[in-house]
Structure formats: structure tokens, C-alpha cells
Amino acid sequence: MPAARESLLDAAYTALGRRPWTAVRMVDVAAVAGVSRQTLYNEFGSKEGLARALVRREADAYLAGVDRALATRTEVRERLAAAAEWTASSARDNALVRAMLTGCWSERLPAPTLSAVPSSSAVPAQRRADGPLPSPADFVALVRDRAVAVLSAPGTPKSDTAELARSCELVVRLALSCVAAPPGEGGVTDLVHTVLQRQPTRAGGPQVRSISR
């Protein structure tokens, strides 16, 4: 029931914005979604299952936003700046994304374990949610690898790809630092521009302006 599943996750996310997760009741989530409580349990198995699925969905939405940001411009530096801006704004606007990126889970939020949990669910999406959830270190690697895959020109030497990977990881970590301590005038973009200007320039590297993928 994909439509019911999304409605339930939407209802859970809305409820979390209004009260601590410990005060969110399954029966209320089901009522807001317009389905029975049994349907909710059939989809997620438990409140912990609902929490894991909600966290997984927000993680996927954040990473999809990274992909969109990396595809918006032709200049490497601007693409990386866009991804950094998206990271900072997502963390500012979404408490679950902020917790996932920083590892700081407040008492208001669900705190599902990052490791995989045994699953008896027949729902493929829930079995996926029962798998391991990304840690802050995982997000750094995921975003870095996405950026390298998008920004690397065909035939780029391994040494230049490695250099690009280092620059991408530097930008990701810079963005995460801005989550913890918001930047001043100029914002994240100016910081990314300043940092990348200091990186060595090679074919396929972060300052090459001709990449159009």
C-alpha cells in the first residue's frame, strides 16, 4: 500500500513537529492518515519500525536533494557549493536530517539504532528500513561519492579523481561544520568558494569549468 505508507509517514512527520516522539501515538498517526491502526502495524510492525522508516525516508530525501544540487550547474565549484547549501538548509529546516548528519539526537526525536535489526516484515520497503541507517560518517562518504560520480570527466586519471574526491569530502565536512555553527555574511557558498580556490588545479579537478555532465 504505497499511498497508505506515505500518508502514514507524512502523518508521523507532522506529529513529530508538534510533540516529542515519545508522545506520538500510533492510533493518532493512523487516524490522521485515514487508515486503521491495524494497517499501520501491518506496514511498520511497531513504533520502532515506523521511526526507522521515517528516518530512512528523510535520509533518502536529503540525498536526492544532493543529487539535484550537483546537477544544477556546469561549473564544478558551483555544483559543490549548491550541495553544501542544500546540506546546511536541510539540517536547519529538518530536525531529523540535522540529527542524522550530526549524530545529535534530542529527546524530542526518535533515536532508532543505526545497525540493522531483525525483520519479519513482508513489506520490501520496511525490510529496507530495517537495514542499517546511515551514520554521520556514512553521509560524508555517500555525498562525496555521489559528487565524484557526477563531476568526474570521462577518462579522468586516477590521481585527479582522488584529488577531486578529497575536495568533495572537504566541501561536505565544511557544510557539516556550518550545520553546527551557522556561517556569517556570505554564507556557505562563499566558504566553499574560498576553500576550493586554495585547492590545486588539475584536469578534472574542482576548479575546471568545462565539465558539463
Side-chain angles (χ1 to χ4, degrees), residues 62-128:
Y62 162 69
L63 291 172
V66 168
D67 291 339
R68 290 193 300 272
L70 291 171
T72 54
R73 296 173 174 84
T74 56
E75 185 185 350
V76 170
R77 186 176 66 173
E78 295 305 322
R79 293 186 185 198
L80 289 173
E85 286 281 7
W86 166 253
T87 295
S89 64
S90 296
R92 181 181 63 245
D93 299 337
N94 188 317
L96 285 175
V97 171
R98 183 166 60 252
M100 285 186 282
L101 292 177
T102 62
C104 299
W105 296 82
S106 75
E107 295 180 356
R108 288 187 55 85
L109 300 176
T113 57
L114 296 179
S115 58
V117 298
S119 176
S120 59
S121 173
V123 181
Q126 187 54 37
R127 288 203 302 272
R128 179 168 173 270

Side-chain angles (χ1 to χ4, degrees), residues 77 167 170 191-201 206-207:
R77 186 176 66 173
S167 293
L170 179 62
L191 290 176
V192 171
H193 287 177
T194 299
V195 167
L196 292 185
Q197 284 172 353
R198 297 174 180 173
Q199 300 305 298
T201 300
Q207 293 193 43

Side-chain angles (χ1 to χ4, degrees), residues 13-184:
Y13 184 84
T14 299
L16 182 60
R18 296 172 177 169
R19 61 185 69 90
W21 183 250
T22 54
V24 173
R25 301 195 309 162
M26 297 286 271
V27 64
D28 295 333
V29 171
V32 170
V35 302
S36 68
R37 186 170 61 172
Q38 187 59 50
T39 296
L40 173 54
Y41 279 99
N42 288 344
E43 285 291 328
F44 302 106
S46 65
K47 190 175 181 181
E48 168 73 8
L50 175 62
R52 291 182 67 84
L54 181 60
V55 169
R56 172 68 68 181
R57 186 182 73 162
E58 299 309 306
D60 288 348
Y62 162 69
L63 291 172
V66 168
D67 291 339
R68 290 193 300 272
L70 291 171
T72 54
R73 296 173 174 84
T74 56
E75 185 185 350
V76 170
R77 186 176 66 173
E78 295 305 322
R79 293 186 185 198
L80 289 173
E85 286 281 7
W86 166 253
T87 295
S89 64
S90 296
R92 181 181 63 245
D93 299 337
N94 188 317
L96 285 175
V97 171
R98 183 166 60 252
M100 285 186 282
L101 292 177
T102 62
C104 299
W105 296 82
S106 75
E107 295 180 356
R108 288 187 55 85
L109 300 176
T113 57
L114 296 179
S115 58
V117 298
S119 176
S120 59
S121 173
V123 181
Q126 187 54 37
R127 288 203 302 272
R128 179 168 173 270
D130 288 339
L133 296 173
S135 68
D138 292 331
F139 276 111
V140 171
L142 286 167
V143 176
R144 178 200 63 209
D145 293 347
R146 275 170 152 80
V148 171
V150 171
L151 302 176
S152 294
T156 300
K158 287 185 178 180
S159 59
D160 289 351
T161 300
E163 182 181 299
L164 176 60
R166 287 192 293 271
S167 293
C168 291
E169 180 163 337
L170 179 62
V171 168
V172 177
R173 293 187 180 279
L174 177 63
L176 293 181
S177 74
C178 292
V179 170

